[in-house]
Amino acid sequence: MPIILTGFMGVGKTTVGCILANKLGVPFVDMDLYIETCRGQTIAEIFEQIGESGFRLLEFQILTELLEAEENAALVISTGGGIVETAECRQLLAQHEKVFYLQDTFETSWQRINRGGPGNNDRPLVNANSKSQMAAKYERRIPLYEEASNYLLDVRQTDAHETAEVIRKMCETE
Ligand code: S3P
């Protein structure tokens, strides 16, 4: 079964996923990048063209494809932070055993994602929302990540290499 990483924007899913896939010698798929490559558009352009609801539908379609493909049994997937907004995605994730919710504080995530200044962020939701709105989103999503994931990893004190190693060991002992 694939190893799937969930968690809020800026928690380090892509960095951890990439390190973990290298350690395990399996392919790595970053869902945002995959969607961008499939559409030939950036996430910001996709949001502009089909809106957040259209993007969520794309996420669901891609997640379904990735999880259905037999050749993807050994794979590390990092999901977009909002994948858990879609009930069907949460259900799909909940059927998988190795789903890791990486959790850091909102402040740390915010420091990482609030770059480029207003209007210049490559994450459309950061452009469209204030810090307090993003904090509310972070809080609202906590139970959704918990519902979709089997393991909660507190990554406040661990760097990406240590987190990847923790996940590798947990998967090894299963
Ligand atoms: C989103 C997170 C982003 C990306 C999109 C929406 C979200 O992915 O999918 O901008 O709703 O949390 P990252 O978590 O990789 O930043």
Side-chain angles (χ1 to χ4, degrees):
M1 281 223 178
I3 299 174
I4 307 166
L5 307 182
T6 67
F8 202 67
M9 292 170 241
V11 76
K13 300 176 295 281
T14 302
T15 313
V16 171
C18 197
I19 297 169
L20 178 63
N22 269 328
K23 276 176 183 283
L24 296 170
V26 301
F28 170 61
V29 175
D30 174 75
M31 278 191 60
D32 281 345
L33 201 61
Y34 191 84
I35 292 172
E36 287 187 330
T37 308
C38 290
R39 298 264 312 184
Q41 285 179 309
T42 64
I43 300 293
E45 286 165 349
I46 297 171
F47 266 67
E48 209 177 300
Q49 196 176 72
I50 57 175
E52 182 173 349
S53 57
F55 176 73
R56 297 292 172 220
L57 196 60
L58 276 179
E59 272 186 320
F60 174 59
Q61 285 163 353
I62 298 288
L63 184 69
T64 307
E65 271 173 35
L66 286 172
L67 296 180
E68 272 177 0
E70 265 177 42
E71 67 270 22
N72 288 344
L75 181 74
V76 176
I77 302 172
S78 77
T79 57
I83 195 134
V84 295
E85 295 280 0
T86 309
E88 289 83 354
C89 287
R90 294 200 299 278
Q91 283 156 15
L92 210 51
L93 291 169
Q95 289 164 18
H96 286 74
E97 285 161 20
K98 298 175 182 172
V99 185
F100 293 85
Y101 166 25
L102 309 189
Q103 191 184 60
D104 208 322
T105 62
F106 171 71
E107 275 305 325
T108 302
S109 290
W110 179 251
Q111 295 308 320
R112 295 202 186 119
I113 62 181
N114 184 33
R115 293 193 180 134
N120 289 319
N121 202 289
D122 54 10
R123 291 180 174 92
L125 291 177
V126 180
N127 276 331
N129 290 279
S130 65
K131 181 179 176 184
S132 63
Q133 285 170 322
M134 290 302 287
K137 206 181 275 298
Y138 171 95
E139 290 298 329
R140 185 176 54 74
R141 283 183 182 172
I142 290 174
L144 305 184
Y145 292 123
E146 288 173 349
E147 179 189 329
S149 317
N150 314 67
Y151 303 100
L152 190 162
L153 293 185
D154 178 346
V155 300
R156 279 176 301 174
Q157 306 296 335
T158 43
D159 68 21
H161 287 271
E162 290 165 335
T163 305
E165 186 56 19
V166 168
I167 298 175
R168 191 192 65 74
K169 281 194 179 136
M170 287 173 78
C171 291
E172 196 179 54
T173 54
E174 270 200 352

